[in-house]
Amino acid sequence: MNKLENKVAVITGGNSGIGFGIAEAFKNEGAKGAITGRNQATLDYSTKALGGGFTGIRGDVTNTSDLENIFKTTAEQFGKIDVLVVNAGGVVDGIPMGSISDVTEEGYDRYMDLNLRSAYFTIQKSLPYLNDGASIILIGSSAAHRAAPGMAIYSAAKAAVISLAKGLSLDLLSRKIRVNTLSPGSIDTPVFGKLVPEEHLAQVKQSWIDLIPVGKQGLPSDIGKAAVFLASDDSAFIVGTEILSDGGMTNISLMK
Ligand SMILES: NC(=O)c1ccc[n+]([C@@H]2O[C@H](COP(=O)([O-])OP(=O)(O)OC[C@H]3O[C@@H](n4cnc5c(N)ncnc54)[C@H](OP(=O)(O)O)[C@@H]3O)[C@@H](O)[C@H]2O)c1
């Protein structure tokens, strides 16, 4: 308990799914700080659900002025930041993922913008507001390691995110800032509702469960626990690497 007592955290995309699960886990360990997102209604709802200690800051992570505002506002309210979770990402509004014959140049750019470029500039814009010794957690994906239908660009962006943790750990070594990637497998969040119509939701989730050795999808709280570890001093010797939290899906085959 209280592994993050008085630590100041920013969790992008903390108003939904995995980001909210991480914010809850951080709050339960004594952290305070900010969650971000574009949707004011879910920001308000999630901030209230966290029950004090966290504020909601509206911003689009693909917009660098918004990023600067997020970190400036957090630092003014709470002081310098100890933990940054670069979580916002996933599905681009109104643009379906797809196979190579279907993807447009705009679709390619928007997916890379949300899932790779924004991660890089989220970190860059945070730097003046981070404490030396801070922990940065990039949310990657098991999709970086295992192809899934229609997800090639998303997977490539997440593979690049895993690489960023290495390069940026080196860039930030003199400040003792650790950068690691936490890669979820299939986690039960609202993202599935953005990808498939309601009537196919149960079937799609089941087809993921069929691939997961532990026999169930993960929960945002599962990722929250792993994020607490990477945020805390318990992981002080873990630098520039990746932790997979996927119920064994990437490394274990269920083939009979
Ligand atoms: N669920 C999974 O199975 C899974 C597996 C592997 C990795 N991941 C990764 O985990 C992260 C969270 O996904 P999730 O499953 O929790 O999905 P989610 O419930 O759809 O949450 C996505 C979050 O990102 C925010 N976001 C999206 N676009 C944004 C933008 N342009 N600017 C600012 N915020 C933006 C959303 O907030 P607003 O809409 O309010 O902006 C929301 O908070 C993503 O990086 C995703 O790639 C998910």
Side-chain angles (χ1 to χ4, degrees):
M1 285 294 285
N2 296 343
K3 284 181 183 293
L4 303 178
E5 192 66 42
N6 289 324
K7 298 275 189 198
V8 176
V10 173
I11 302 124
T12 66
N15 58 340
S16 181
I18 289 171
F20 182 70
I22 293 172
E24 270 191 313
F26 281 13
K27 184 208 77 173
N28 291 338
E29 293 291 344
K32 56 191 173 177
I35 58 171
T36 82
R38 294 162 304 167
N39 183 316
Q40 192 63 54
T42 53
L43 258 184
D44 291 345
Y45 178 86
S46 303
T47 309
K48 196 168 168 210
L50 289 170
F54 274 83
T55 193
I57 305 175
R58 196 164 175 213
D60 184 331
V61 292
T62 64
N63 177 321
T64 49
S65 310
D66 283 9
L67 289 171
E68 277 163 4
N69 179 57
I70 285 166
F71 297 116
K72 187 166 176 288
T73 307
T74 305
E76 280 167 4
Q77 192 168 338
F78 297 96
K80 280 200 162 186
I81 297 158
D82 302 294
V83 184
L84 167 63
V85 184
V86 185
N87 164 77
V91 176
V92 175
D93 302 327
I95 301 190
M97 294 186 186
S99 68
I100 189 162
S101 338
D102 303 323
V103 169
T104 61
E105 289 183 41
E106 189 206 353
Y108 178 95
D109 289 344
R110 295 277 305 277
Y111 268 89
M112 281 295 180
D113 193 17
L114 178 61
N115 288 293
L116 176 57
R117 187 180 185 278
S118 83
Y120 187 87
F121 286 103
T122 298
I123 294 179
Q124 188 195 68
K125 298 304 172 193
S126 76
L127 291 177
Y129 305 98
L130 287 190
N131 272 318
D132 288 359
S135 171
I136 299 176
I137 303 167
L138 287 156
I139 299 300
S141 174
S142 62
H145 304 287
R146 186 176 185 175
M151 291 173 72
I153 296 167
Y154 170 79
S155 300
K158 291 296 192 179
V161 162
I162 293 164
S163 176
L164 275 188
K166 304 174 195 179
L168 299 186
S169 282
L170 179 55
D171 283 356
L172 298 171
L173 213 49
S174 63
R175 292 185 58 190
K176 297 184 167 47
I177 294 172
R178 300 183 291 123
V179 189
N180 290 294
T181 306
L182 173 55
S183 289
S186 183
I187 309 297
D188 195 0
T189 75
V191 80
F192 287 89
K194 299 176 186 174
L195 285 167
V196 281
E198 175 72 34
E199 63 270 25
H200 296 140
L201 216 48
Q203 184 201 332
V204 168
K205 286 185 181 182
Q206 188 57 49
S207 60
W208 279 105
I209 292 167
D210 292 343
L211 296 172
I212 304 172
V214 300
K216 56 180 182 177
Q217 278 192 301
L219 297 173
S221 57
D222 292 316
I223 306 304
K225 287 174 202 157
V228 167
F229 171 66
L230 284 176
S232 76
D233 290 343
D234 286 351
S235 60
F237 205 55
I238 297 182
V239 182
T241 194
E242 180 194 25
I243 292 182
L244 267 168
S245 178
D246 69 346
M249 185 174 68
T250 307
N251 292 319
I252 300 170
S253 165
L254 287 175
M255 201 167 60
K256 293 200 175 92

